[in-house]
Each structure stands twice: as C-alpha cells, then as structure tokens.
Amino acid sequence: MSTRTPVACLRDHVGSTVTIAGWVHRRRVLKSVSFLVIRDRSGTAQAVFANPPDVTEETVVRLTGPVVATSQGAELRDPTVEVLSTADKRPPFDLYRPEVSAGLPVVLDNAAVALRHPLLRRRFEVAAASVAAFRRALDNQGFTEIHTPKIVATATESGSNVFQLDYFGRPAYLAQSPQFFKQAMVGVFERVYEVGPVFRAEPHDTARHLAQYTSLDAELGFITDHRDVMTVLRDVIAEMATAAGPDAPFVPEEIPSIDFAAAQELLTQHTGEDPRGEPDLAPAHERWLCEWSEREHGSEFLFVTGYPMAKRPFYTHPDPTNPTKSNSFDLLFRGLELVTGGQRLHRYSDYLTALGDQAGQYSDYLAAFAHGMPPHGGFAIGLERWIARVLNVANVRGATLFPRDLHRLRP
Amino acid sequence: MSTRTPVACLRDHVGSTVTIAGWVHRRRVLKSVSFLVIRDRSGTAQAVFANPPDVTEETVVRLTGPVVATSQGAELRDPTVEVLSTADKRPPFDLYRPEVSAGLPVVLDNAAVALRHPLLRRRFEVAAASVAAFRRALDNQGFTEIHTPKIVATATESGSNVFQLDYFGRPAYLAQSPQFFKQAMVGVFERVYEVGPVFRAEPHDTARHLAQYTSLDAELGFITDHRDVMTVLRDVIAEMATAAGPDAPFVPEEIPSIDFAAAQELLTQHTGEDPRGEPDLAPAHERWLCEWSEREHGSEFLFVTGYPMAKRPFYTHPDPTNPTKSNSFDLLFRGLELVTGGQRLHRYSDYLTALGDQAGQYSDYLAAFAHGMPPHGGFAIGLERWIARVLNVANVRGATLFPRDLHRLRP
C-alpha cells in the first residue's frame, strides 16, 4: 500500500507534502478558486485549487500536495489529482449535506451509496462497537463464543413463522433463534454467546420487524434463577451503551424492575384501559411503562418480570412460588421490547411433562437434558432494535445495512 | 448466583470449606473409600467420600466441604452432595477417558453430550479464540465489522450450488458468501469484515466440505494490488495461530509465495504428472506443494498466486502485465486450501465488460461501482478448515459443533 495520510491527521503535517486518498465528498467551483472536500474513513478535509479539477462528486481520487494551516485546521493547496475510479452516476441525494435529504425507501434502495453519508454510516459504526461491547462484557465473565446451524430439520421452536427451504430434496427450515443449541452448549461450556442472523417469516409490515436480524444471544448455567441472568444482562447493556459515545443512554447500576401483574395494575389505574387478564403487553402499554419508568425511576430501561406461563415458550421455567407465572423477563427501552430472556427448564423430566405428546419431535433438543444440565437461563438482544432506539431511528430498517422484510429482498 | 469456587482454584482454599458445582465426570467406588471427579468449565477436581454418594456420571451436583491438600493439589473431603439435576441416560462413551473412544458418527449424533469430552470441547475453545484473534487483528488495522443478508434474490455469485427457499411465496436463495455486500461496504467503511454462516448446496461428500460453514471474510480498499491483501492476511493468520496455544503453528514473518505457473512446473518436474494447462490445482497437488514448502522454506503455509483468470470469478482483477493471469491467491496450509482471496475489479466499466450480457442480473451489485470505488481486495477463511488443520482433525465435521452436509441435518 502506498503511504497515505488519513485526512483527519492533516493538521499534523502542516508544512509537509502528503498524499491523501478518498472520495470527492463535495466539489465547489467559485470564480477565482475551487474546492474539493475529500472523505475517507477518518473524516473529511479540504483541498483548494486555482483551476477547478475535472472530477465529479464520489469520484475516488488520490491527491498529493503541500499541507497549509487554516483557521479550521489544515488543507491541501493545489495538489496533483489522480483519479482511481470515476463515479459514473450521481448519488440519489447529496451526500455532503449535513442531513439526509432522502426518505427511507430511497436510502434502502440505494444502500451501497446512501450509507456513505456520514450520519447513516455512523449507525453501523455504533452497531459494530455495540457488538464488540457485547462480546467484551461476556468474555470478561468467562463466556465462550459459539457458531450454530442456521438450517434445522424441524419448525417447532415457537409460534413464529419459519422459512422453508429445499435441502438436497428434503424440506428444512431457517433457524428462528439459536435457542436449543445455546442451551445444549451450556452443558459443554457453561456460559456461551452467539452473534448471528436469525430468520422470521414475519408477515407483519411494521417499523420494528425484520425477516432477518442480528441476534445477540447469551446463555449461562449454574444460576439461582432469572435474576442472575438480569444481572449479567445489565452489565452487557451498560457496556453496549458506551459504544454509542455521545449518544450513550444512561444505564442505572440496577435497572428498575416491575412484575407483570403490577404493571397491569398500573396501566389499569392510569391509562383508562384494563389489560388485566391479557397474557402479554401491547406495544402502547410498553411505551407507557417506559415513560412511567423514566418519570418514576429516572431510567429509560425497565425490566418486566413474571410474565404468565401461558404466553411464554415451553422451555420457560415457572416461578416456584406461583406456577402460573414464569421466571422470565423482557427488557423495555424507549418504548420497545429490546430483550427477552429468563430461566429455562433444566430437568429432563420437566421437559417431558411440559411437552407431553410432543416430546418425540424434540428428541434432538432433549438429548442434552437427558445427560444432566445445570439450572440455566439466557437472553437475546436484537441488534437492529438496539441501534434504532439508541440513535432514535424511527424504523428498524434504517438500522440495517440491507434489510429483508415481507416486501424487500433486494438489494 | 450462590458463591462457587472454580474447581481449578481448589488449591487456593486449602483449610477452608468451599462450594463447587459441576458434572460428575467420574465415579469410583472402592472398598473403603469412594471418589467423585467433578468437572466444571475450569477443569476437574476430586472429592473423596467414606460412603459412596448415590449419583451417576454426568449428574449435575453442588458439593460443599473442606479442602484438603494432596500430592497433586487439593481435594474435597466428605462434602455434602446436592443434586441439581440427574443424568437420566448414560453418555454414548465414557467422557472421563483421556481419549475419545467413539467414532465420528457417534460424536456427531450425540453432540450435546459428546462435546463435553475435554478433548472435543477444546476444539471449540480454540475456534472461539481464533475468531476473537481474527477480529482483534483487523480491529487493530481500522476495520469495521458488518452483518449482511443471508437471504438473497438471485443465485448468481459462483458456480456452486445454492439452497433455494420460499420467501413469502417467492423464490430466494441462501447466500454463498458475503462477497458482493462486503465489496459494496468498502465504499462506506474502506475496511470491513464479517464473521458469519455461508451456505453451499455441496453435493460432494468429502472430509473438507460442509453445507454451512463459518466464513471469516475481510475486504479492504485503497490497495495497490493483491499483495497488500496478502500482507493483511499474514498478520491475521499469525494472530489466529496464537489462539491454538501449545498447538500454535509457526507463521513466518513473510509467508512463502509461488506463482501458479511455477507451481505447475515444479509438479511436472517432481511428481511424474503434468498438470500444465489445468486451470486449478488438484487436492493431491496442493498436498505436494505444502510438503515442498515445508521442506524448502520451513513453512507449513504457502501462498499460490497468479491463478488463471479462466477459473476465478468474474470480479477477479487481472494481472495488468498478463491479463490471462489474475491478481488472486490461495493460501495453502497443511495440504489444504485454507483461504481464497485477491484483488477485485473496481471500475464500473470493467464490470460491464466482464459481465457483458449478464450485467443486468447484477444491477444491485454494480450500484456500488457506478458511484466510485477504490482499488480493493479481500479474502475469506473457512473457520472449520482452520480448526481441523491446526488441531489435526481429519474431518472438518469434527471441527463443527453441529455439522450440516448432504446427509446430515440433525441434531
């Protein structure tokens, strides 16, 4: 690689001749002087020309010339310009304007160029830093990273719709989560995590659902109950929050927690509705509870615990003091369910009872439990929802490089 | 979580009473004394009993008792035993024996319990450490991690077979690699990597092919040619090698490199065969070249460069001095192709020429190039092949938690 100075470092080279390389972010031609703003992964810098160079915006160039100090920092003066590749088409909107002037469909249809806008690019820099933080928090607590199959033989995990594929002439399905595999691997490593794609043939066309998303999954053994899982999750979220830099949300030392039934009472008292008897929270109720949490506890994060067993998956561990309730939780953040988790069943006999006639379908899954499994639990964080909430992106698609949904299979 | 001492730390607690928890790795009942060997994620430790406890191997237990020094370290004496969950079935082979006494099919069919064997578990600890090393090496060089779609609209990337799925009533395909997406993201981040599953409907039933594997993909812009990619790859491999601890292979400061045509000459001179004119290397020839590299250069790693354009994908950049040859490479390691990489085309017009009539099918992919892309290249490492070669596992399935192949879709 030829020597190249990051544009953000120009001011360290005042008085020298340097080479920079990047995209023509903006081109301005005035009467007596012209400017190119050059963008590389470090930022942007300006080059000044007596005669306007003949390049369009987004052309990839290499400039060599002297660095001169300016009131804002430093710029290149009359550098030589080498075109590395031309931009044959114009971007669908001006990438140099501070705000994104296009709507979401234009951005998504033109992701390869639209994401070059610094505001859009930043979402995915925060995503990368968030995933690194997730792993770092768990690595520090002795977790082992795993990679599990995304093609599975049976479509039995939950009520969600699954994608079916042709597997060498047989039907197979895309995994909706690594749930069964990560539980089995607690038997091997005690504490595991996986970062990977999960697939939902989600027929709902909402701002918070995707057909593929990145799931940050963790599972750990030798817990007392779900509260141990919540403690680990709180540390993970705190580490992930730092990834957002100046946008980092405040994560309290202890995230406030409300029991599901108590939440329903609150909603009944204060919203004029009566959700008691419902087995789950409606999106509007999640939003109300988040506002309540912020008002009452100063926390944008809120745990809801003790969901009714009726609405949780069969592997959920009941509350030993009240078996209609579960040792499960959701973590709400800024009005949205961000994380689901809880304690799982760990005894083989409990699985046989929970599954009844269906146990035969789950024989692969049950194998781990037949050989001794510790009390365990875990959680799954949706990466795109996290980014959307942290950076106030209205639609989760705006926090996905190339989203897939009911209508969108390209680019 | 109740306080628990890792069994590897017992010797730090001689004279105290501690609680340990784990699996009954082995149970031995002698005339006057009995032993339980307890396994947790830190290792194994022994507990000694006057009266044999009534637990089977793989039962999950919590033991509390005094720690006593022994000639080998420390052990628990007559602890109380609490059963956390019973092992209802016997493992398919004895997990406590130093070697794995079962063949590969038994291991794969019973992965949830078989992988508890310390020798098998270690493969995946090295895998986790290798992936962490891959990311660390690239993070240190300013790469950004990305997550790209695994469901794609067209089955056009290469000659390999693809899996077709039903995407809300339309046909779609599982991505064979993140190739197109990672190239497009060079336009946004300059340097990107992705760790994720890739899918090949591979009809060959060999020891080195899987229907799903974990691909460690990287791509970087502003290169001079493929040699810049090889330099980055060498540093990545060196970092990954350290993950294997005592099994770390030696990675030379500069990995030896041989031109494809020169390799064919060598093979013709020394093997009694004449592969000249063939567009690729046969597996036997890759093995021979690795032996040659070790003998001549003291390196188990060997780059082969300058493969004929005829056999490389359309996005491969030709050698400017000889357009029938490519700026591509394979990295061979212990007889096997471990990595494929090279420089890619970066000019829109070059893609239009290379694709000809087919350009329309690739419009999504070409979008990035129409808007200015720097010279770039990258590589992809197969994680399971890496682990298999580093730890001398004969079949790549033995380096996969739950492999998927022509015949295997479970567990």
Side-chain angles (χ1 to χ4, degrees), chain A residues 86-100:
Chain A
T86 56
D88 293 72
K89 293 182 184 169
R90 281 183 61 86
F93 59 96
D94 291 327
L95 298 177
Y96 62 80
R97 294 193 193 278
E99 298 300 319
V100 177

Side-chain angles (χ1 to χ4, degrees), chain A residues 134-167:
Chain A
F134 171 84
R135 290 190 296 248
R136 189 167 58 242
L138 295 173
D139 286 342
N140 288 342
Q141 298 200 36
F143 281 70
T144 301
E145 183 176 16
I146 57 173
H147 297 94
T148 67
K150 305 308 160 201
I151 304 177
V152 294
T154 45
T156 45
E157 181 181 338
S158 79
S160 305
N161 289 321
V162 294
F163 290 111
Q164 182 174 332
L165 65 115
D166 172 9
Y167 191 79

Side-chain angles (χ1 to χ4, degrees), chain A residues 1 41 190 228 364 410, chain B residues 1 41 190 228 364 410:
Chain A
M1 267 163 276
R41 74 177 191 275
E190 293 189 24
D228 288 333
D364 287 337
R410 297 178 37 208
Chain B
M1 267 165 276
R41 75 177 190 275
E190 294 189 25
D228 288 333
D364 287 339
R410 295 177 40 208

Side-chain angles (χ1 to χ4, degrees), chain A residues 1 23 41 85 88-89 116 135 145 150-151 167 190 212 228 364 370-371 373 404-405 410, chain B residues 1 41 85 88-89 116 135 145 150-151 167 190 212 228 364 370-373 404-405 410:
Chain A
M1 267 163 276
W23 288 261
R41 74 177 191 275
S85 84
D88 293 72
K89 293 182 184 169
R116 297 179 187 179
R135 290 190 296 248
E145 183 176 16
K150 305 308 160 201
I151 304 177
Y167 191 79
E190 293 189 24
Q212 175 189 324
D228 288 333
D364 287 337
H371 294 288
M373 282 285 280
R404 294 292 182 256
D405 64 26
R410 297 178 37 208
Chain B
M1 267 165 276
R41 75 177 190 275
S85 86
D88 294 72
K89 295 182 182 169
R116 297 179 186 180
R135 289 189 297 248
E145 185 177 16
K150 305 308 161 201
I151 304 177
Y167 192 79
E190 294 189 25
Q212 175 190 325
D228 288 333
D364 287 339
H371 294 287
M373 282 285 281
R404 294 292 182 255
D405 64 26
R410 295 177 40 208

Side-chain angles (χ1 to χ4, degrees), chain B residues 18 25 34 113 118 124 151 157 186 189 212 233 282 310 334 374 396:
Chain B
V18 303
H25 192 55
S34 296
V113 58
F124 303 97
I151 304 177
E157 181 181 340
V186 166
F189 304 105
Q212 175 190 325
L233 174 56
R334 294 185 180 166
V396 73

Side-chain angles (χ1 to χ4, degrees), chain A residues 1-2 4 21-23 39-42 58-61 83-92 111-113 115-116 121 124-125 128 131-132 135 141-153 163-168 170-172 174 181 184-191 193 195 197 199-203 211-212 214 220-224 228-229 232 346-349 363-364 367-375 383 401-411, chain B residues 1-2 4 21-23 39-42 58-61 83-92 111-113 115-116 121 124-125 128 131-132 135 139 141-153 163-168 170-172 174 181 184-191 193 195 197 199-203 211-212 214 220-224 228-229 232 346-349 363-364 367-375 383 401-402 404-411:
Chain A
M1 267 163 276
S2 48
R4 174 184 170 215
W23 288 261
R39 184 186 74 239
D40 72 10
R41 74 177 191 275
S42 73
E58 291 309 300
T59 294
V60 182
V61 292
V83 172
L84 297 179
S85 84
T86 56
D88 293 72
K89 293 182 184 169
R90 281 183 61 86
V113 58
L115 299 180
R116 297 179 187 179
R121 183 179 70 185
F124 303 97
E125 290 167 344
V131 174
R135 290 190 296 248
Q141 298 200 36
F143 281 70
T144 301
E145 183 176 16
I146 57 173
H147 297 94
T148 67
K150 305 308 160 201
I151 304 177
V152 294
F163 290 111
Q164 182 174 332
L165 65 115
D166 172 9
Y167 191 79
F168 301 113
R170 285 176 282 167
L174 290 184
F181 298 114
M185 288 303 98
V186 166
V188 176
F189 304 105
E190 293 189 24
R191 304 179 149 213
Y193 65 83
V195 175
F199 306 93
R200 308 275 166 110
E202 182 59 70
Q212 175 189 324
T214 302
L220 64 151
F222 298 101
I223 61 171
T224 301
D228 288 333
V229 181
V232 171
H346 63 280
R347 289 185 188 86
Y348 189 54
S349 56
S363 58
D364 287 337
F369 303 100
H371 294 288
M373 282 285 280
L383 175 62
L401 289 176
F402 299 94
R404 294 292 182 256
D405 64 26
L406 182 57
H407 304 293
R408 186 172 286 278
L409 181 55
R410 297 178 37 208
Chain B
M1 267 165 276
S2 51
R4 174 186 170 214
W23 288 261
R39 186 187 73 240
D40 72 9
R41 75 177 190 275
S42 73
E58 292 308 302
T59 294
V60 183
V61 292
V83 172
L84 297 180
S85 86
T86 56
D88 294 72
K89 295 182 182 169
R90 281 184 61 84
V113 58
L115 299 180
R116 297 179 186 180
R121 183 179 70 187
F124 303 97
E125 290 167 345
V131 175
R135 289 189 297 248
D139 286 343
Q141 298 200 37
F143 282 70
T144 301
E145 185 177 16
I146 57 173
H147 297 93
T148 67
K150 305 308 161 201
I151 304 177
V152 294
F163 290 111
Q164 182 174 330
L165 66 113
D166 172 9
Y167 192 79
F168 300 113
R170 285 175 283 167
L174 290 184
F181 297 114
M185 289 302 98
V186 166
V188 176
F189 304 105
E190 294 189 25
R191 303 178 150 214
Y193 66 83
V195 174
F199 305 93
R200 307 276 165 108
E202 182 59 71
Q212 175 190 325
T214 303
L220 63 151
F222 297 101
I223 61 172
T224 301
D228 288 333
V229 181
V232 171
H346 62 281
R347 290 186 187 86
Y348 189 53
S349 56
S363 58
D364 287 339
F369 303 99
H371 294 287
M373 282 285 281
L383 175 62
L401 289 176
F402 299 94
R404 294 292 182 255
D405 64 26
L406 183 56
H407 304 294
R408 185 171 288 278
L409 180 56
R410 295 177 40 208

